[in-house]
Amino acid sequence: MSEEMNINEQDSQEYVVFTVTAQDGSEVEMAVVDEFDYDGKHYAAASRVVGDEISDDGVYIYRTKLTTDDFTVEKITDAKEYDAVVKAYTEME
């Protein structure tokens, strides 16, 4: 997935969906399944959208930046930050 992606916010049932660009250049539709704050930053947990369903093959964690009308997701590239955020997320469940 690309390092920074702008979201085209849409409602798909009760989920907010956005598109990211995979490393191979294809576009992947994602649905936000959870949002949370950790260490003063905002994060979103998202799963792939396959057809009209949300895939249960895994959750991807992105750092988010909120704006007035929209938000942007960023791939977490720092391994220590990623590990800490994933640990915090799994402990919340």
Side-chain angles (χ1 to χ4, degrees), residues 23-58:
Q23 290 178 341
D24 66 2
S26 64
E27 291 191 352
V28 179
E29 190 173 36
M30 306 291 287
V32 175
V33 295
D34 206 356
E35 294 180 69
F36 61 100
D37 291 315
Y38 175 73
D39 199 27
K41 296 177 184 169
H42 193 73
Y43 296 89
S47 292
R48 292 177 188 247
V49 176
V50 179
D52 291 334
E53 301 290 322
I54 295 176
S55 175
D56 60 359
D57 69 352

Side-chain angles (χ1 to χ4, degrees), residues 4 13 18 22 28 36 47-48 56-57 63 67-68 70 80 83 85-86:
E4 185 169 332
Q13 298 169 2
F18 61 94
V28 179
F36 61 100
S47 292
R48 292 177 188 247
D56 60 359
D57 69 352
R63 185 182 319 108
T67 64
T68 306
D70 211 355
K80 288 182 183 181
D83 290 342
V85 171
V86 168

